Amino acid sequence: MNGLTTRAAAALAVIVLATAAHAAPGKWDHAANIKDAAQRLAKLHKREGSTGVLKFLDACYRTHLLASDYTKGLESCMAQDYIHTRVLATIYAKLPPDQRARLKIPSPELIAGGLNKRFVSAFVQYKVTVAEADDFKAQVDTYGFPVFVKSAFPNGTPDAPKPPHAGAGK
């Protein structure tokens, strides 16, 4: 087997098949994937807080950006990143600049700029069109954000960010 044991070859075949099953863009239910990602993000946020979410997202991107195609897993990472970033930016925007500086908290603009760089990099890497990127954002706003807010803030909160109206920002 060219240096591969039968067991190693079988494991490699499973990895290749699993990757192929997830590699074809559009071959999954995007709305369901985004809802699931939002639910998992809410659980992670409750369990480990924002710091845990940031560590998870870093590992998620490091893993999924190695793929040769845009995958369901990367879509999940990006949906979670988008939701988490919007929540952080909304909360940090409520703090006066001098208090953010004293606490060494980044500005909402800096947080949003980081997200923009991550998204542009991933979308360029996988040749995602502007229209597809806009559709992704709209789907996260429509399907993911409400799931996260309901789960993360079950008793409601006036500070919970609300998704923009459909078509806003385009």
Side-chain angles (χ1 to χ4, degrees), residues 43-120:
K43 289 177 184 175
L44 176 63
H45 189 268
K46 286 178 186 177
R47 190 175 61 245
E48 298 184 30
S50 187
T51 302
V53 169
L54 292 172
K55 287 179 183 177
F56 170 79
L57 288 172
D58 179 60
C60 194
Y61 276 116
R62 287 178 190 262
T63 300
H64 291 287
L65 286 174
L66 295 174
S68 58
D69 294 306
Y70 183 81
T71 64
K72 183 178 176 181
L74 179 59
E75 179 181 77
S76 292
C77 292
M78 293 178 75
Q80 291 167 334
D81 189 10
Y82 177 63
I83 293 166
H84 183 257
T85 299
R86 284 202 38 223
V87 169
L88 277 183
T90 300
I91 292 168
Y92 290 176
K94 295 180 185 301
L95 298 174
D98 61 323
Q99 187 176 5
R100 283 196 313 264
R102 190 172 54 254
L103 296 171
K104 298 180 181 172
I105 295 173
S107 70
E109 296 80 18
L110 188 62
I111 293 169
L115 175 75
N116 188 52
K117 287 178 186 175
R118 290 187 298 278
F119 274 27
V120 167

Side-chain angles (χ1 to χ4, degrees), residues 1-16:
M1 295 204 95
N2 296 336
L4 286 177
T5 66
T6 304
R7 202 162 154 185
L12 181 60
V14 169
I15 291 168
V16 169

